[in-house]
Amino acid sequence: MSMRKTRLFSILALLLMAATGAWAQKPATYKITVAEGTEDADKWTISPAEAAEGATVTATYSGEKKVKSVKAVKKALDPAKAYLTWDADQKKLVATEIPTTATKVENANENVSWAGTYVVEDDVTISGTIGLSGDVDLIIKDGATLTAKQIGGSGNNLRIYGQANQSGQLVVNRTNGDAIMNIKTLEVHSAQLTATSSTNSCGGIYGTTTFNVYGGSVDAKGTGAGYGISMNSGGSINIFGGEVKAEGKGTGGYSYGIRCGNTATVTVSSGKLWAGNADKQALSSNINLQKGEGFTGKIEYSSDKSTWSETVDADAKYVRAGY
């Protein structure tokens, strides 16, 4: 459009919120600014300069130039202030700003109780148990490691995120029980999770109904006579990206790479899966391993990790997908 002197443009704050980099956080108000490098930037007046979602914002230009268009653009996020989360519509990891309200995780020598959003900025150790009293979003910055004794979910949900390099680590080592237990929905978006138990009949991850992996990596192990991952009956492991490794040990009733109490489904849509137990079987007989939509890789079975076949073998000591 072409106009002189006073030019008015109405822009929805719903669109302009993208320019602040605060898309996912949805704060009460959004700041609206003229893009850096705009000609006659001092001739623009934005009213109001902050607006709630859905409100109308008026941009008034009082200069002599022709204005052809006005548009809202998403401002690039500072990688140091962002984390990666799975976007189900785009089917990929996208950068989202770390909320300023996130609680920084500090060293602790006792049990702690969590609910809400937490961020790990450097190497931190919690000597006691992390108990979830509500749903938790855990963001681990690149290069940082959180080491814990145990995480108990009490039926709550845990979502784990990393940053651009996906190098943030959560390490849980348990010597008298399951490392991570009783989390209803566990999600790993873009960090590295290592969960290990050295207790007989226990394992790295226990009692989860839904386990979604979108990126990063998961390494779950039972180094006693136990399992890597034990799912609830009717549960599901869904791999959309990243890499999942589940390793059991021994010949006991619970000694599998992946097991469940009744039936459970493991679906690989992308990424990689490796499950094994050199002493017994990779998967318990009631685990249904299948390819997800769009998966073009192989599901392979082996008894010695050297010879692999796509022929289904319920007794195989090792199973891999996507390799």
Side-chain angles (χ1 to χ4, degrees), residues 67-316:
V67 180
K68 294 183 177 180
S69 65
V70 174
K71 66 178 179 179
V73 296
K74 185 175 182 179
K75 184 178 179 180
L77 291 175
D78 179 351
K81 298 180 180 179
Y83 66 97
L84 297 181
T85 181
W86 181 257
D87 186 302
D89 293 329
Q90 300 183 61
K91 290 183 170 52
K92 68 178 184 178
L93 293 169
V94 298
T96 303
E97 189 173 13
I98 298 173
T100 57
T101 55
T103 300
K104 181 180 177 179
V105 179
E106 306 280 2
N107 291 318
N109 294 320
E110 65 282 334
N111 296 339
V112 298
S113 179
W114 285 2
T117 302
Y118 295 80
V119 59
V120 180
E121 298 182 346
D122 42 33
D123 291 347
V124 178
T125 298
I126 295 178
S127 300
T129 295
I130 300 174
L132 307 188
S133 57
D135 291 349
V136 169
D137 291 299
L138 176 62
I139 302 165
I140 308 174
K141 290 191 172 183
D142 280 335
T145 299
L146 169 61
T147 303
K149 173 183 176 182
Q150 183 197 25
I151 298 179
S154 300
N156 293 300
N157 303 319
L158 172 62
R159 295 171 287 268
I160 306 169
Y161 308 92
Q163 293 189 297
N165 295 326
Q166 303 186 48
S167 64
Q169 299 183 62
L170 171 60
V171 179
V172 187
N173 293 315
R174 186 87 189 277
T175 58
N176 59 342
D178 294 292
I180 297 176
M181 59 187 299
N182 299 331
I183 292 175
K184 183 179 180 181
T185 298
L186 175 63
E187 294 185 349
V188 176
H189 288 245
S190 47
Q192 300 178 26
L193 169 62
T194 301
T196 306
S197 173
S198 57
T199 308
N200 288 348
S201 301
C202 293
I205 299 172
Y206 169 78
T208 290
T209 300
T210 304
F211 186 12
N212 296 328
V213 180
Y214 302 104
S217 65
V218 175
D219 188 356
K221 290 182 282 191
T223 59
Y227 44 80
I229 300 172
S230 179
M231 297 295 294
N232 286 336
S233 295
S236 65
I237 299 175
N238 307 291
I239 303 172
F240 299 95
E243 187 168 2
V244 177
K245 183 177 181 180
E247 185 173 8
K249 186 177 181 180
T251 59
Y254 294 96
S255 298
Y256 298 93
I258 302 175
R259 69 168 299 276
C260 68
N262 191 350
T263 58
T265 301
V266 178
T267 304
V268 184
S269 297
S270 186
K272 296 180 178 181
L273 167 70
W274 186 98
N277 177 3
D279 304 314
K280 193 176 181 180
Q281 292 170 221
L283 307 175
S284 61
S285 60
N286 45 14
I287 293 289
N288 176 30
L289 174 60
Q290 62 185 19
K291 296 180 179 181
E293 182 181 358
F295 183 74
T296 58
K298 299 177 181 179
I299 295 178
E300 299 174 293
Y301 302 82
S302 176
S303 60
D304 57 9
K305 288 194 293 188
S306 62
T307 303
W308 295 88
S309 171
E310 291 186 73
T311 301
V312 176
D313 182 359
D315 297 322

